[in-house]
Amino acid sequence: MELTRIPKIKHADSGNFFLLSGPCAIEGEEMALRIAEKIVTVTDQLRIPYVFKGSFKKANRSRVDSFTGIGDEKALKILRKVSKTFEVPTITDIHTEADAAHAAEYVDILQIPAFLVRQTDLVVAAAKTGKTVNLKKGQFMSPESMKHAVTKVTDSKNEQVMITERGNMFGYQDMIVDFRGIPTMKKYAPVVLDVTHSLQQPNQSSGVTGGRPDMIETIARAGIATGVDGLFMETHFDPSIAKSDGANMLHLDHLEGLLKNLTRIRNIINDL
């Protein structure tokens, strides 16, 4: 995957990791613009190639009464406004073949959720849009098995593909990252580490996923040390009121300090 082929990407030649970051779900225009403005300011300062992340809808919820979105078209238009306002590319999840063509009209990268990455028709539909495709490794899949998901994209005549590690199920209610998978998957495509989802504690009795945000910097540092190409982190100015995945989010106030520390580590590794 060539970063320079992603529209509006800045600092692609900086030698730094790239960042996919934003809220879990688009909850409204004001919140999206507020979060994007802060991240753009920090990433420009640190010369981090940046992509704004926000799900236009959430289809994979534990409970039927969970927040799923503000309306597909409304959320997609907000993603397009973020892109135009701050001149950054955007990424969003898709869940159906119809979503692929629809979302491709508004965003630069289509993300296949971890639970759906084996769905051939969905992956191929995303690839055929010509957009960059981010394949999230299933919690139930080995690093080696992601080769086949990547091949579905490249066989569809799309070389713009990346893999995101998001942890493996550990028992019923925890996740764990096996960092041995990073170099394995880098043989197939650029690799991103999803720091915040790797710290989820799913399947809680309440039907609301828990998390360990106190471990975000630990996991992110380990990812940089093992050579990931990019990081994925969901963030919010008040995770306690976020409508999705607030329990494992990074507070927006902590983003700058974290990225400064991670950039220092990346610079050291680049000099080795």
Side-chain angles (χ1 to χ4, degrees), residues 76 102 134 222:
L76 286 168
H102 189 198
N134 183 26

Side-chain angles (χ1 to χ4, degrees), residues 251-267:
H251 197 292
L252 193 59
D253 289 348
H254 300 155
L255 180 71
E256 183 173 1
L258 173 60
L259 292 180
K260 283 182 176 179
N261 289 341
L262 297 176
T263 296
R264 291 189 189 103
I265 297 171
R266 180 58 177 252
N267 290 338

Side-chain angles (χ1 to χ4, degrees), residues 180-212:
R180 297 174 299 175
I182 302 300
T184 297
M185 292 188 291
K186 286 188 68 169
K187 298 174 185 176
Y188 318 135
V191 174
V192 178
L193 174 61
D194 183 343
V195 179
T196 48
H197 286 105
S198 294
L199 293 168
Q200 283 184 330
Q201 294 178 317
N203 302 323
Q204 301 296 308
S205 58
S206 64
V208 178
T209 298
R212 288 289 306 276

Side-chain angles (χ1 to χ4, degrees), residues 3-35:
L3 282 181
T4 53
R5 288 179 57 186
I6 300 175
K8 300 183 180 179
I9 196 79
K10 294 183 286 185
H11 314 302
D13 60 350
S14 66
N16 213 341
F17 57 87
F18 61 90
L19 178 68
L20 313 179
S21 187
C24 179
I26 299 298
E27 301 170 10
E29 183 176 303
E30 188 276 334
M31 67 84 69
L33 293 171
R34 179 177 171 184
I35 292 171

Side-chain angles (χ1 to χ4, degrees), residues 17-249:
F17 57 87
F18 61 90
L19 178 68
L20 313 179
S21 187
C24 179
I26 299 298
E27 301 170 10
E29 183 176 303
E30 188 276 334
M31 67 84 69
L33 293 171
R34 179 177 171 184
I35 292 171
E37 182 176 26
K38 173 65 175 179
I39 304 175
V40 167
T41 299
V42 174
T43 53
D44 276 348
Q45 174 191 345
L46 298 174
R47 292 181 53 78
I48 297 173
Y50 171 56
V51 179
F52 178 84
K53 184 270 168 184
S55 296
F56 77 97
K57 68 178 175 183
K58 298 296 296 182
N60 49 338
R61 306 312 309 275
S62 298
R63 292 175 8 185
V64 72
D65 60 347
S66 296
F67 174 81
T68 57
I70 59 174
D72 294 0
E73 199 73 20
K74 184 176 180 180
L76 286 168
K77 286 180 177 178
I78 290 172
L79 283 164
R80 183 164 61 189
K81 183 166 184 176
V82 168
S83 182
K84 289 183 176 180
T85 301
F86 299 105
E87 297 186 327
V88 295
T90 53
I91 179 172
T92 199
D93 301 277
I94 60 171
H95 302 87
T96 68
E97 295 167 64
D99 284 348
H102 189 198
E105 297 177 18
Y106 296 88
V107 302
D108 304 288
I109 304 175
L110 300 177
Q111 180 166 284
I112 308 299
F115 284 128
L116 299 177
V117 75
R118 285 177 56 93
Q119 298 297 108
T120 300
D121 289 347
L122 176 61
V123 173
V124 170
K128 287 185 174 179
T129 66
K131 299 289 185 177
T132 299
V133 179
N134 183 26
L135 301 166
K136 300 198 78 174
K137 183 176 76 64
Q139 301 92 318
F140 46 88
M141 293 174 67
S142 70
E144 291 80 6
S145 64
M146 287 304 293
K147 177 181 180 180
H148 306 297
V150 170
T151 300
K152 291 176 184 179
V153 178
T154 56
D155 281 354
S156 301
K157 297 182 172 56
N158 187 340
E159 299 295 324
Q160 288 291 101
V161 57
M162 54 185 165
I163 302 169
T164 292
E165 166 64 54
R166 54 96 71 238
N168 300 307
M169 285 301 300
F170 186 67
Y172 288 115
Q173 295 178 321
D174 209 354
M175 306 289 298
I176 190 167
V177 178
D178 181 355
F179 287 96
R180 297 174 299 175
I182 302 300
T184 297
M185 292 188 291
K186 286 188 68 169
K187 298 174 185 176
Y188 318 135
V191 174
V192 178
L193 174 61
D194 183 343
V195 179
T196 48
H197 286 105
S198 294
L199 293 168
Q200 283 184 330
Q201 294 178 317
N203 302 323
Q204 301 296 308
S205 58
S206 64
V208 178
T209 298
R212 288 289 306 276
D214 57 301
M215 296 295 292
I216 286 174
E217 182 153 358
T218 298
I219 297 297
R221 285 183 178 219
I224 297 298
T226 50
V228 295
D229 300 285
L231 293 176
F232 179 113
M233 288 187 282
E234 290 184 342
T235 185
H236 197 287
F237 48 81
D238 187 354
S240 69
I241 63 169
K243 296 183 181 296
S244 178
D245 284 357
N248 52 268
M249 273 186 183

